[in-house]
Structures are given as C-alpha cells and as structure tokens.
Amino acid sequence: MIIPCCRKKEETPHCSAVIVAAGSSQRMGSDKLLHNLGIMPVLARTLLVFQDCELVDEIVVVTRMEKLEEVAELCKKYRIEKASKVICGGATRMESALAGVSEVKKKAKLIAIHDGARPLVSVELIENTVFAAAKYKAAVPAIKSVDTLKLAEDGETVTGSLDRELVLRVQTPQVFDADLIKGALTFAAEKKLPLTDDCSAVELMGVKARIVPGEEDNIKLTTPRDMLFAAAILKDRGEYLADRAWV
C-alpha cells in the first residue's frame, strides 16, 4: 500500500542530488540524454527541475568519459548553477551511482539519486521523497501496476501470477541517508552484485525504504517510442520552461 508522505512544517531537509547519465543508450540507438526533447536536450530538462527544487543544495552529474566536456557545457548553457561537479561514471549503473555519491559535499545528510533519462519528474515529487527520506532514512517513489503480472519459466511458459496489490513500479529520485547509501553501494560494488536500482542496495543492509506516491508522467526514456510519449506530455503541459531567458 502506498502511504502519502506527511510533512512537518518546522522541518526543512536538504539533499545533494546525483544525476546518473552515464548509460550507453543502446536501445535508443544514440545518446538519448543529448537528444532534444522539445526546445532543449533531455538532460537539460532533468537538471533544470533539480535546479529549481529548493531542497536540493548541489548537483553532481555522472556521465561517460567522452561526454564530460559536452555535459559541462550543457550545464553552463542552461545555467545549472547547483552543478558542483561533472564526473566520469563506471561500467554499470551501480558503479556510476557510487562514483556520484562519493563526490557530494561531505556535509550532505541526504543524497537523491535520479536517472538522467527521467526529464519529466516534478519538483513536488523530489520534495516529497526528500521529506520522507529525512524521516525514514530511505524513500522511493512508486506507482501501482495496472497490468496483470505473471511469472514465467524461461520467458516462455506461465508458471503463476503475482498479486498486483503487492507489486509496484519503482521510479527515481530515490533518496537516502548519505552514510547509508554510500555504505550500501560500496558493499554492493565490492560483491559485484548486479543491482538495477539503488534501493536494492540498502535492502541488502536490512533497511526498508518508505514508499512515496510516484507520478505517471515520470517515465524513463529508453526507446524512440518513449520520446514520442514524452513529447506528448510536454505538449499537454504547454512546453514546460519555455519562458527561460536562454530560449
């Protein structure tokens, strides 16, 4: 069951944000993060939302070695003033996340980790997840599945069904106590565990993450078809951020 996030007005937690943008984009055919989505690149849209979130103190961008200069220029062009570092990632997403959390400011108490390929995330979702993590040490946004879910043998034969009420589709940003996520990702990297999200790492440490209601618009751009969906969402929004001075 997804429980709405409760806030205490007197508490104002802040976080460092790690934007993981070091993927190979194999299913997209080319670097999806530098593709234009409407009036600007995908990665610029992602970064601008975190730039606009008052609970985010700094942004560390993790990218590929050959894209370091280009991403740094993108941060400059779109005035991502909170971007403190643009660094090189690892061979896997987990290694890239570890590289990012290792570079945040030492005073950071919370760290948000977000997929660079989720440009339609809202400031509200970031804030809700940060508040939940401040209270529970780990928080992740998720939405219920609308599909019937099956177990399959070798991907060919149905062997059973899953209770749809017990299964969620997890999104990012995922926000954690800084020491917790650093330790969890370090442990997972040392064990060479094939984890696909950061919450899985803290689960190995015996920590249960709090669920925050996610957003249907917060899609991850993986295939060219996803770009069409994202463009339709932007059209419905009236081209978010179209009034920026650099447009």
Side-chain angles (χ1 to χ4, degrees), residues 167-212:
V167 180
L168 298 172
R169 294 157 52 200
V170 177
Q171 303 177 337
T172 66
Q174 300 183 1
V175 186
F176 309 94
D177 172 86
D179 291 335
L180 171 64
I181 191 58
K182 289 177 183 178
L185 289 174
T186 298
F187 174 80
E190 290 174 348
K191 297 295 183 180
K192 300 186 183 302
L193 301 176
L195 305 181
T196 57
D197 83 329
D198 310 295
C199 184
S200 299
V202 302
E203 289 168 13
L204 295 174
M205 312 299 284
V207 176
K208 295 181 179 179
R210 187 73 167 184
I211 299 297
V212 174

Side-chain angles (χ1 to χ4, degrees), residues 33-34 40-45 47 61 68-80:
L33 297 180
L34 298 177
M40 71 189 78
V42 168
L43 183 57
R45 286 192 181 278
L47 294 174
V61 187
L68 285 173
E69 184 175 347
E70 190 171 0
V71 171
E73 285 298 317
L74 180 146
C75 289
K76 181 179 179 180
K77 176 180 179 180
Y78 291 97
R79 302 179 186 176
I80 313 300

